[in-house]
């Protein structure tokens, strides 16, 4: 069996659009350095209704936003204002602490718009957890893209098939977007000790084992795996090398529980930097509820 574990995501309403959260999972905290995996949408946002994720903090991790459809405007406490479009990457390293918001751009807000994409958090190696925060936007045309047996593969981050993404990372990582035509396939190498396939659509199989849509299939280590499609389909592949135990509470991730307690106190007492052109913020929850921000 190629599939070690099959995760059915928890469906969450993030205020007008749906997210399917596969990681963290009660029986699986991480895949390589990936500690959070949300499939956003696809959701249609009516005119004059947009995404409004108010400013909120992160520490000791990086966020990576990748869209299939729609647009999101990112603002952060470094002064960054950057719209992301489909196929591009927004990488934000929180390090010792950052605050950001995610909202619909004005044009999308005033028109009916679709939002569809993947939001991930990536844990940092211990020696980089307290690095200075930074943000880089990578346009879609800078990411390596190739064809394999009729499958179009884009390398979002890491190294695969002799290609290396320009996205700056801190540890070995694999992140692919694969678009398959009917009756095509591609191979996932055994280069990384932890790997997973997320089925964005129906019609996929792993080593001829059908995979339902909206499932994160954790792969057995050590062997190549064939992903195939009986119809036009799409999947995301993630992986990498494990970093060890991480603690997560709300938007805070760290190898040290005391660091999370410090971050709670810092947010409660307004000691994080503020986001440019923002006056709202998400208060520190008394308990972690299901309605977490992105």
């Amino acid at each position: 069996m190629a599939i070690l574990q099959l995760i059915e995501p928890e469906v969450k309403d993030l205020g007008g659009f749906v997210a399917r959260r596969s990681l963290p999972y009660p029986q699986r905290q991480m895949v390589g350095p990936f500690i959070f995996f949300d499939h956003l949408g696809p959701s249609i946002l009516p005119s004059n209704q947009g995404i409004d994720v108010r400013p909120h903090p992160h520490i000791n991790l990086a966020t990576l936003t990748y869209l299939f459809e729609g647009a999101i405007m990112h603002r952060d406490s470094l002064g960054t204002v950057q719209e992301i479009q489909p196929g591009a990457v927004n990488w934000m390293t929180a390090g010792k602490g950052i605050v950001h918001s995610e909202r619909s751009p004005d044009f999308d807000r005033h028109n009916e718009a679709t939002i569809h994409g993947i939001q991930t958090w990536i844990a940092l190696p211990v020696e980089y957890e307290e690095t200075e925060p930074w943000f880089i936007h990578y346009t879609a045309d800078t990411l390596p893209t190739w064809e394999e047996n009729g499958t179009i593969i884009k390398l979002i981050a890491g190294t695969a098939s002799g290609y290396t993404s320009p996205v700056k990372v801190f540890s070995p990582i694999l992140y692919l977007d694969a678009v398959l035509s009917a009756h095509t396939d591609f191979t996932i190498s055994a280069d990384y000790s932890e790997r997973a396939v997320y089925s964005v659509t129906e019609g996929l199989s792993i080593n001829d084992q059908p995979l339902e849509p909206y499932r994160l299939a954790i792969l057995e280590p050590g062997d190549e795996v064939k992903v195939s499609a009986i119809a036009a389909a799409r999947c995301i592949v993630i992986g990498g090398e494990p970093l060890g135990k991480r603690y997560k509470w709300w938007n805070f991730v760290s190898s040290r529980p005391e660091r999370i307690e410090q971050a709670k106190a810092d947010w409660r007492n307004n000691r994080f930097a503020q986001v440019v052109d923002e006056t709202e913020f998400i208060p520190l929850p008394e308990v972690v509820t299901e309605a977490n921000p992105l």
Side-chain angles (χ1 to χ4, degrees):
M1 290 284 280
I3 299 175
L4 177 66
Q5 183 181 18
L6 192 62
I7 295 175
E8 181 177 353
E10 182 181 2
V11 179
K12 293 179 173 288
D13 184 348
L14 296 184
F17 67 102
V18 169
R20 295 174 177 86
R21 185 160 301 163
S22 299
L23 294 175
Y25 185 71
Q27 287 78 44
R28 185 84 190 196
Q29 185 188 46
M30 301 169 70
V31 175
F34 291 88
I35 195 168
F36 180 96
F37 188 102
D38 262 12
H39 178 196
L40 310 178
S43 297
I44 297 175
L45 305 174
S47 178
N48 298 316
Q49 177 183 326
I51 297 171
D52 282 302
V53 182
R54 295 168 291 160
H56 56 278
H58 293 287
I59 60 163
N60 292 188
L61 57 77
T63 68
L64 194 161
T65 304
Y66 181 80
L67 297 180
F68 306 128
E69 295 180 82
I72 295 175
M73 184 66 75
H74 164 98
R75 291 181 173 86
D76 65 39
S77 51
L78 302 175
T80 309
V81 179
Q82 176 65 59
E83 181 176 328
I84 183 171
Q85 296 281 349
V89 165
N90 274 2
W91 177 288
M92 182 184 76
T93 297
K96 67 181 185 181
I98 200 168
V99 180
H100 75 135
S101 66
E102 291 162 306
R103 300 184 186 270
S104 294
D106 288 343
F107 179 83
D108 284 22
R109 188 179 299 277
H110 299 309
N111 296 273
E112 184 178 271
T114 299
I115 189 68
H116 189 202
I118 304 291
Q119 178 89 14
T120 56
W121 298 356
I122 297 158
L124 302 180
V126 170
E127 62 269 28
Y128 294 112
E129 284 188 324
E130 297 297 330
T131 193
E132 291 293 325
W134 50 266
F135 175 93
I136 300 179
H137 174 78
Y138 300 88
T139 57
D141 60 1
T142 64
L143 303 179
T145 304
W146 66 95
E147 182 177 346
E148 179 182 330
N149 299 330
T151 298
I152 304 301
I153 302 174
K154 175 172 284 190
L155 180 58
I156 299 169
T159 299
S161 300
Y163 297 92
T164 298
S165 168
V167 174
K168 182 181 176 181
V169 297
F170 291 88
S171 67
I173 189 173
L174 174 66
Y175 194 167
L176 301 173
D177 175 18
V179 178
L180 296 86
S181 303
H183 310 297
T184 63
D185 61 67
F186 73 99
T187 299
I188 302 172
S189 74
D191 293 343
Y192 297 91
S193 58
E194 296 186 357
R195 303 162 298 163
V197 177
Y198 181 79
S199 48
V200 179
T201 68
E202 59 186 2
L204 292 160
S205 294
I206 296 177
N207 283 5
D208 299 323
Q209 180 180 351
L211 182 63
E212 292 181 67
Y214 312 143
R215 296 293 186 271
L216 185 67
I218 311 299
L219 303 180
E220 291 273 9
D223 293 319
E224 288 189 347
V225 171
K226 184 180 76 172
V227 179
S228 58
I230 59 172
R234 190 172 206 158
C235 67
I236 291 288
V237 180
I238 60 171
E241 300 306 318
L243 294 179
K245 171 70 176 177
R246 289 296 184 273
Y247 299 89
K248 178 183 179 296
W249 190 90
W250 192 42
N251 302 307
F252 302 136
V253 167
S254 183
S255 63
R256 298 153 292 156
E258 67 273 13
R259 182 64 179 90
I260 291 178
E261 293 305 313
Q262 178 190 332
K264 290 181 188 179
D266 288 344
W267 186 243
R268 184 184 295 114
N269 294 295
N270 198 30
R271 290 196 289 260
F272 277 85
Q274 296 185 346
V275 178
V276 63
D277 296 330
E278 289 274 14
T279 56
E280 297 180 298
F281 67 93
I282 300 178
L284 186 78
E286 292 300 320
V287 294
V288 175
T289 64
E290 292 188 351
N292 283 331
L294 295 174

